[in-house]
Amino acid sequence: MADTLAAPDIAGALAWAREHIELMDARVLLRHVLQCSAARLVSHPEQRLAGPDWSVFRTLVERRAAGEPVAYLVGEREFFGRNFLVSPAVLIPRPETELLIELALARFGSRPGSRVLDLGTGSGAIAITLALELDAVDLTAVDASREALWVAMANAARLGASVSFVQGDWFAALGEERFHLIVSNPPYVAEADPHLADGDVRFEPQSALAAGPEGLDDLQIIVAEAPRHLERDGWLLLEHGYDQACAVRGLLTDAGFSEINSWADLAGIERVSGGRWPGRP
Ligand code: GLN
């Protein structure tokens, strides 16, 4: 990729990029460099790139060709209709996690004064979305990673969401606090799963992905400790792996939850399980 190449027009830049990466990714990267709409790329193929823009675009294409996720290269990803800042300190929000949001909204509606907790908030996508979609609820979001919390706080400020951020390991920093709804998309991939060495996932924080030999270590801790932090009739909703629904329902049963259920994502995969805490027997 010689430096002496003269800057091409939009069509030429995309044609060059296509030799190295997917066209869809090339379009997202070029829109990011030119700060323009998708429509403009199509309507002005003859627009010549400025030298510095061409140089930045080439670097981004090279990095994408070497495997870096597009979301990290452009620094953001859409989730539930809003753009969230992301960095390699946080997991890139996934479309399947929108199921967790829909279930929380359906179960919860708006009950002013209610307290909601998001464990392992990462970019803050779940907590911030719930804070913005549910009126007048009190949102707390926890993460063990200080770097992740910086990203989440920047997102809350940018999107105008009011969320209390707490650094800590799951419930460790929450004392005796209780909530009406606890949600989490914890790490749930088995340590030896070859998926962790695949594609975009290679660049994501392992601490947000892997959880013990079966991927259940963190789900186990959360289910076991949630009862001490749920109000009577409060809900616990957990995202998990494609083959973990049965195991998570088992954990919920053992911990004494009621109304235990699993819900399928758009691909038909049971992706979220949860239950209601009936209160102390
Ligand atoms: N769904 C993600 C993946 O398969 C994992 C997310 C998680 O561990 N919370 O890459």
Side-chain angles (χ1 to χ4, degrees):
M1 302 182 191
D3 268 354
T4 48
L5 288 180
D9 58 19
I10 283 178
L14 288 174
W16 169 79
R18 266 191 88 165
E19 294 171 19
H20 308 280
I21 63 175
E22 300 278 331
L23 179 60
M24 216 169 65
D25 293 349
R27 287 208 178 107
V28 174
L29 295 176
L30 191 53
R31 282 183 54 196
H32 172 69
V33 173
L34 301 178
Q35 291 290 299
C36 75
S37 65
R40 185 158 180 91
L41 290 190
V42 176
S43 64
H44 290 75
E46 76 298 342
Q47 182 189 316
R48 195 153 291 283
L49 269 63
D53 287 347
W54 171 229
S55 154
V56 171
F57 179 61
R58 277 187 355 238
T59 305
L60 291 177
V61 169
E62 284 165 13
R63 289 173 61 184
R64 177 63 190 142
E68 279 185 69
V70 172
Y72 290 156
L73 293 173
V74 302
E76 58 181 25
R77 173 57 47 96
E78 194 246 284
F79 180 79
F80 215 81
R82 298 180 181 88
N83 270 331
F84 286 83
L85 301 173
V86 294
S87 82
V90 300
L91 198 75
I92 299 165
R94 313 274 207 267
E96 58 264 30
T97 301
E98 294 186 347
L99 173 63
L100 192 58
I101 301 290
E102 275 155 16
L103 291 168
L105 297 181
R107 230 134 243 89
F108 216 64
S110 276
R111 287 192 245 147
S114 294
R115 309 198 64 216
V116 179
L117 171 66
D118 174 26
L119 290 171
T121 199
S123 66
I126 295 171
I128 291 166
T129 301
L130 291 179
L132 294 171
E133 297 288 330
L134 292 168
D135 261 349
V137 299
D138 182 354
L139 242 304
T140 302
V142 171
D143 207 287
S145 156
R146 186 179 295 269
E147 289 73 26
L149 287 173
W150 283 117
V151 177
M153 282 190 270
N155 277 318
R158 238 165 66 121
L159 293 165
S162 165
V163 176
S164 306
F165 291 101
V166 177
Q167 189 186 5
D169 219 355
W170 305 127
F171 295 100
L174 295 171
E176 298 301 309
E177 285 187 67
R178 285 184 186 268
F179 301 86
H180 300 90
L181 168 66
I182 300 176
V183 292
S184 183
N185 173 18
Y188 54 68
V189 182
E191 265 162 6
D193 190 326
H195 169 66
L196 291 172
D198 255 7
D200 286 8
V201 177
R202 280 177 294 159
F203 292 82
E204 296 185 291
Q206 295 294 296
S207 58
L209 288 162
E214 291 163 64
L216 289 168
D217 285 14
D218 292 294
L219 286 160
Q220 248 156 9
I221 295 173
I222 293 170
V223 173
E225 293 184 11
R228 284 204 304 122
H229 295 277
L230 277 167
E231 297 286 358
R232 181 182 293 269
D233 287 334
W235 281 94
L236 173 64
L237 293 173
L238 298 167
E239 183 176 319
H240 52 67
Y242 70 96
D243 56 356
Q244 293 171 331
C246 188
V248 174
R249 288 196 303 270
L251 294 174
L252 290 162
T253 306
D254 292 347
F257 279 84
S258 62
E259 297 183 48
I260 295 167
N261 215 332
S262 298
W263 296 270
D265 64 16
L266 290 175
I269 295 166
E270 283 185 328
R271 179 58 70 184
V272 173
S273 295
R276 220 165 176 184
W277 179 243
R280 289 175 194 291

